Structures are given as structure tokens and as C-alpha cells.
Amino acid sequence: MKGPEFDLSQPLGGPRWGEGRRDARSGRMVGEGFLGDTTGSDAAATEIGRIVDRFLTSMRSSIGQVVDVLPIDAEVLAPVRDLARTVDTMLATGDVSALAGLADAVNAAGELLATRITGGYEVDEFGFDEHFHTHVWLPLWRPLFEHWFRVEVIGAENIPAEGAGLIVSNHAGVLPLDGMMTTVAVHDHAGRALRLLAADLAMTLPVSAPLARRAGATLACTADAPPRTRLLDALRADWERDLRADGHTGDVLARRLARGDLLRTSPELIVPFVDDAAGAHDYPDARRAACEETMFTVAGGAAVQSLLVALAARGLGSCWVGSTIFAADTTRRELGLPSTWRPLGAVAVGYPAEPVPPREPRPAGDAYMSVE
């Protein structure tokens, strides 16, 4: 490789720092170092040159190995690759100003490595690791997307920027390459992470299962349903069993079960509990033990009422439903809670669809009773 002012065809990194060829235009020596008028600092400069030489040579080798082995986003490591290729130039010219850029590139790649090593990333309840998905998984497939299949994306603007959405497509072949390409397309052109519906086999094999989970794949089964869905499905089964035992069928049964739909459709659902083991006195007789339980229940109810008032003060609508009280064991089982936790109903929370007018004050006589 030859440039207008230096020649890199000469051997580099030798012990004779300061030897090279003289540039015809500038009169300076280039190659392994520089020769010119001597000063009192030549010895120090020569030693610094040797140190920089050894450092850059070692850095070039190390960076090359890391870049070639690690499956990290090519965009993140591109500056490192580019600067690693210019190390010979730095050695030849003695210009180490690019070290600042190299340090920045190494820091960027180092942050990615540190995030993976130290666990500084979040994994949701289904195993989806967005950091892995963005910086490791997608870069593995992006070269196929861009250079092999050369995918053309049309209509990505129709994908909503937030909220739920369902993408349905045809699949051909055994390997889900089309699914991987769709994942890259949705991420790069719509800014969303596509959660693929995976085959059971992919979620059971020892190697593919953890990769699929981290990449966002899921199963169409109850086990992969959100906790709210699992809880409400189990509660509905309990309610239906009890209502059928009471003799309800047909439209009456359907209407009674439909009352729980509010808990499914509300933007947020709060399930309050009271923990009988958190400071409750253990009385030896049944009377006082029952009173202690009632006291905790009343205290929990007061807390729930305060929650409803606080939500209203912030412009939020809410509705308390007592259904979990009638299926306490089921509620605890589905949420994985200890037996001392007693559910106090459920609170559906959301913003009102339209402004709520203030309530008219009620006459005191309708709400209070005086005892003389």
C-alpha cells in the first residue's frame, strides 16, 4: 500500500525505530519513524514511539480477534474494524491522533459487552430480551435480509407505532427464514419488535429454546398467556362452576359471567391483598382470631377505598369488583402467592372515555343514622 507521502511496503514494528525512507517532497523520513534535526528530547520521543508501536500492534491483534468471534451488531463494531485497519498507517506516519476515535469505538463495543456480561438488561416474563434481540439476534439475520434475499419492504407504515397488532403471513419450507426476514423488516422499517409464534419443537430443544425465548418467540398456549389472562380464565372457570351449581344456565349464566369482562378490557388491573402474617396477633381462641381477621379485612378495605379516591383525584376512572374474594385459593395459585395472602377483590383502572360529571351531594339522612 502506498500513499503520496508514505510507503507501507517496508517492514513495521522492528527494533530500529527511526529508520525509513526519505520523502522526496518534504525531506522527512517515513516508514517506521522520522529523522530530522535532533533535539534534546529525541531519546524520550524514541521510547514513546516504541511504546505506541507495541500498543497499537497488540491492540490491532486483539480487536481483530474480538471482532471476528463475537456475534455483535456490525454497525456497533464497524468503527472498530475501520480503525483497526488503519493501525499500520498510524505506525507508519507516527500520527496517533486517531487513537481518540479508536478509544470511543472500543468503549461503544465495550458497553455492549459489559451489558451482556453484567446482566444490565431486562428480560420480560416470557423470556424476551430486547437487548439481545436488537444487538445480537437481528445482526445475525440482517446480512441475509440485505444482501442475499435483498428484501424490499412495502407498507411498513401501516404497522402501529405502539399498542397491540397481529401480523399474519404465509410460510413456506421447514426452516423459518421468512419469519426471520419479517422480524428484521418490522424492526428496521417500523421500529417494533416482532414476537414470533414458534413451533413447539423450537421451544423444547436445549439450544433453540433459550435463543427463541430471548429473541421474543412465544407459544399459543395458556402457559404463555399474560398473568392477567391466566388469572381471569381460572376465575371464570370457578364462577361458571358455582353458577351452574346454583342452577343458572343459558342467557342468565352468560350475563353473570360477562360481568367479569371489565377486568379483561381495562387498561390496568390492580389486585389488592392483605397479608395475615404481616403483624397479625395469633390469639388462642377462635373469637379473637376471627376479630383479628376482620380488623385486617377492614384495614385492607380502607386502603382500597383510599386507592380509588387517589385514582379519581388524578383523573382516572376505577371500578372495584369483589370476584377474587370468592376464589381466593385460585387467585393465590395463579399468581404464585402464599396462603396468608387474602385477596380483596380487583380494581379495573383506566381513563374515562368521556368526561365524568361531578356527583350530586347526597342528603346526610340517606347515608348516616344518628343514635340518641
Side-chain angles (χ1 to χ4, degrees):
M1 173 181 177
K2 293 185 178 182
E5 296 187 2
F6 52 86
D7 183 358
L8 297 182
S9 63
Q10 304 298 320
L12 300 178
R16 296 174 297 173
W17 180 274
E19 294 186 2
R21 70 171 179 83
R22 184 173 300 278
D23 179 72
R25 291 180 296 174
S26 63
R28 67 178 184 177
M29 296 297 294
V30 296
E32 289 187 283
F34 302 92
L35 293 177
D37 295 336
T38 59
T39 66
S41 61
D42 276 353
T46 298
E47 183 60 27
I48 292 174
R50 292 195 182 100
I51 294 173
V52 172
D53 188 359
R54 290 193 297 270
F55 169 76
L56 291 177
T57 301
S58 175
M59 180 66 72
R60 176 182 56 187
S61 175
S62 300
I63 292 172
Q65 294 176 15
V66 171
V67 169
D68 291 337
V69 172
L70 291 175
I72 303 174
D73 193 334
E75 294 182 0
V76 175
L77 292 179
V80 181
R81 287 184 181 275
D82 294 341
L83 286 169
R85 295 190 185 103
T86 65
V87 168
D88 276 338
T89 303
M90 286 187 277
L91 288 173
T93 64
D95 180 8
V96 296
S97 60
L99 279 178
L102 178 61
D104 292 339
V106 171
N107 285 339
E111 289 178 2
L112 176 60
L113 294 176
T115 300
R116 301 308 308 174
I117 294 172
T118 61
Y121 51 88
E122 295 183 359
V123 178
D124 72 9
E125 58 193 306
F126 306 113
F128 175 56
D129 178 349
E130 187 173 2
H131 187 269
F132 174 87
H133 176 81
T134 302
H135 297 288
V136 179
W137 185 248
L138 292 181
L140 292 176
W141 302 106
R142 195 170 281 118
L144 289 177
F145 179 89
E146 295 176 348
H147 305 297
W148 180 260
F149 295 111
R150 289 175 292 194
V151 178
E152 181 181 358
V153 180
I154 300 174
E157 66 278 4
N158 296 318
I159 299 175
E162 58 183 10
L166 182 64
I167 296 179
V168 182
S169 61
N170 294 325
H171 168 67
V174 177
L175 297 177
L177 289 177
D178 47 359
M180 298 301 102
M181 298 305 101
T182 305
T183 301
V184 176
V186 172
H187 178 275
D188 292 357
H189 293 267
R192 300 292 301 273
L194 184 64
R195 309 292 292 270
L196 294 178
L197 192 63
D200 291 353
L201 180 63
M203 306 298 276
T204 56
L205 295 178
V207 176
S208 64
L211 286 176
R213 284 291 185 188
R214 286 190 174 275
T218 186
L219 289 169
C221 64
T222 303
D224 267 16
R228 185 202 297 206
T229 302
R230 293 199 305 268
L231 172 62
L232 295 179
D233 284 348
L235 291 177
R236 181 186 177 90
D238 283 3
W239 303 335
E240 184 172 358
R241 183 196 61 229
D242 292 341
L243 290 171
R244 289 188 182 278
D246 294 339
H248 297 296
T249 58
D251 292 342
V252 175
L253 176 64
R255 286 196 300 271
R256 296 287 294 271
L257 292 176
R259 294 178 182 177
D261 290 346
L262 172 67
L263 303 180
R264 294 178 182 273
T265 58
S266 63
E268 297 292 340
L269 180 66
I270 300 174
V271 182
F273 289 82
V274 59
D275 185 3
D276 290 329
H281 294 288
D282 187 13
Y283 290 104
D285 58 285
R287 179 184 62 82
R288 287 186 294 172
C291 291
E292 185 78 0
E293 179 177 335
T294 300
M295 183 180 70
F296 267 62
T297 303
V298 172
V304 171
Q305 181 64 45
S306 297
L307 170 66
L308 302 182
V309 173
L311 291 171
R314 288 164 174 77
L316 290 164
S318 61
C319 180
W320 178 83
V321 180
S323 53
T324 62
I325 298 174
F326 294 87
D329 290 337
T330 298
T331 302
R332 285 190 290 263
R333 183 189 70 242
E334 294 299 324
L335 298 180
L337 299 174
S339 60
T340 58
W341 285 44
R342 285 190 292 115
L344 300 177
V347 180
V349 181
Y351 285 100
E354 55 187 34
V356 180
R359 294 182 178 180
E360 295 294 331
R362 295 172 59 185
D366 294 343
Y368 301 98
M369 180 178 64
S370 299
V371 178
E372 299 295 338

